Amino acid sequence: MPAERIREHTVPVAAARRRRLRADGARLLADLLRHQVRTGAFPGGVLPYEDTIGTDYRVSRNTVRQALDLLRGEGIVERQPGVGTVVVGERYPHALDRLQGLAETLHEHGRVTNEVRTVGPVPAPAPVARRLGVAEHTDVLYIERRRLLNGLPLSLDLTYVPMDLGTGLLGADLENTDVFRLLESLAGQPLGSADITLEAVNADAHSAAVLEIPRGSAVLMLERLTHLADGRPVDLEFIRFRGDRISMNALLHRSC
């Protein structure tokens, strides 16, 4: 191939590679700044000037701007005239290595309240009956709640409970008490373990309206089957969290 043809091909490739490397650098910086935001590293919620960030992380000012644009797109920061870049979207940590209700998990960050949207017996669909160990189409208690933290929508919880325990929940204070605490009281024993699955899903029209987010927004879906200490499954939940208001964390140990 003539040298001129080689240069024609290599110049666009090199330019594309540079653009890719700049984009990679912006994503890497955004990840680091997001961690700083989550851990409260910026006093008063105000990020350093762009030049300072560039110096601290040894990146160009364009990379800093691209990284901040990514965080703005996620609703984590915004630019305020006369102030600079400030944190606006605090994410609250939800531990995955402890079996706790939402109010127990987030008690340090404010008051969790529940809006009970639906509560009552429903015939158990086959997948629900199988997970809870009851006969298919046997009645189970279905509870739908919107959970709020300091008055802001945080999650939409859909819960199924076997009816022998669910009957006791019908007259309970579901607006101000975690279901976990109520179940332990009704069962006369503590909860023991839970199987969980966490994945990202798009918000359907109903979920989006309840959580006050655009339809199709990504939400964190936590599916959790909770057992009593004796191993009996008693609580199957499908919880949709607003991804801009929650972060999941856990301390894991490597098995020998």
Side-chain angles (χ1 to χ4, degrees), residues 5-148:
R5 295 287 301 278
I6 294 176
R7 283 194 294 271
E8 287 176 4
H9 288 283
T10 57
V11 170
V13 170
R17 183 177 293 114
R18 286 195 297 272
R19 287 195 296 271
R20 180 182 61 79
L21 291 174
R22 284 198 297 270
D24 288 345
R27 284 192 294 270
L28 291 171
L29 178 58
D31 289 344
L32 297 174
L33 293 175
R34 189 185 301 105
H35 172 78
Q36 296 288 83
V37 168
R38 189 171 66 246
T39 56
F42 301 121
V46 180
L47 275 65
Y49 291 120
E50 292 176 359
D51 288 344
T52 302
I53 295 175
T55 299
D56 289 345
Y57 291 93
R58 297 183 179 181
V59 297
S60 70
R61 191 167 185 179
N62 281 339
T63 298
V64 174
R65 288 174 174 172
Q66 290 174 15
L68 294 177
D69 283 342
L70 291 174
L71 297 182
R72 275 193 288 271
E74 296 174 18
I76 295 175
V77 302
E78 69 178 23
R79 184 89 177 165
Q80 292 186 357
V83 179
T85 302
V86 300
V87 177
V88 293
E90 183 177 3
R91 283 185 169 94
Y92 301 99
H94 186 294
L96 293 178
D97 53 0
R98 295 189 299 275
L99 184 53
Q100 294 181 318
L102 195 64
E104 295 172 312
T105 301
L106 300 178
H107 73 278
E108 296 179 357
H109 302 283
R111 182 168 180 260
V112 173
T113 53
N114 308 309
E115 291 181 357
V116 180
R117 300 174 56 83
T118 304
V119 58
V122 298
V128 172
R130 186 166 56 251
R131 302 288 304 277
L132 290 177
V134 300
E136 189 174 336
H137 304 310
T138 298
D139 276 356
V140 293
L141 185 69
Y142 172 74
I143 308 169
E144 180 177 322
R145 295 168 296 162
R146 181 169 79 154
R147 319 293 299 278
L148 302 99

Side-chain angles (χ1 to χ4, degrees), residues 101-103 112-119 142-148 154-161 169 173-183 206 210-211 224 235-240:
L102 195 64
V112 173
T113 53
N114 308 309
E115 291 181 357
V116 180
R117 300 174 56 83
T118 304
V119 58
Y142 172 74
I143 308 169
E144 180 177 322
R145 295 168 296 162
R146 181 169 79 154
R147 319 293 299 278
L148 302 99
L154 184 64
S155 69
L156 174 62
D157 297 18
L158 313 181
T159 304
Y160 298 90
V161 177
L169 294 177
D173 183 8
L174 295 173
E175 292 188 353
N176 298 294
T177 311
D178 273 339
V179 169
F180 277 4
R181 290 188 177 277
L182 295 170
L183 286 174
H206 171 71
V210 172
L211 294 175
R224 180 170 61 196
D235 182 292
L236 176 60
E237 296 176 278
F238 299 89
I239 307 173
R240 291 168 172 82

Side-chain angles (χ1 to χ4, degrees), residues 177-245:
T177 311
D178 273 339
V179 169
F180 277 4
R181 290 188 177 277
L182 295 170
L183 286 174
E184 289 179 323
S185 176
L186 291 168
Q189 62 174 296
L191 298 173
S193 63
D195 305 314
I196 64 171
T197 301
L198 181 65
E199 59 185 325
V201 301
N202 294 329
D204 59 275
H206 171 71
S207 300
V210 172
L211 294 175
E212 300 178 11
I213 55 177
R215 181 177 180 177
S217 298
V219 296
L220 289 175
M221 162 75 88
L222 178 67
E223 180 182 332
R224 180 170 61 196
L225 177 63
T226 303
H227 306 258
L228 292 172
D230 64 9
R232 180 192 175 191
V234 292
D235 182 292
L236 176 60
E237 296 176 278
F238 299 89
I239 307 173
R240 291 168 172 82
F241 287 102
R242 280 188 54 151
D244 60 343
R245 291 184 179 160

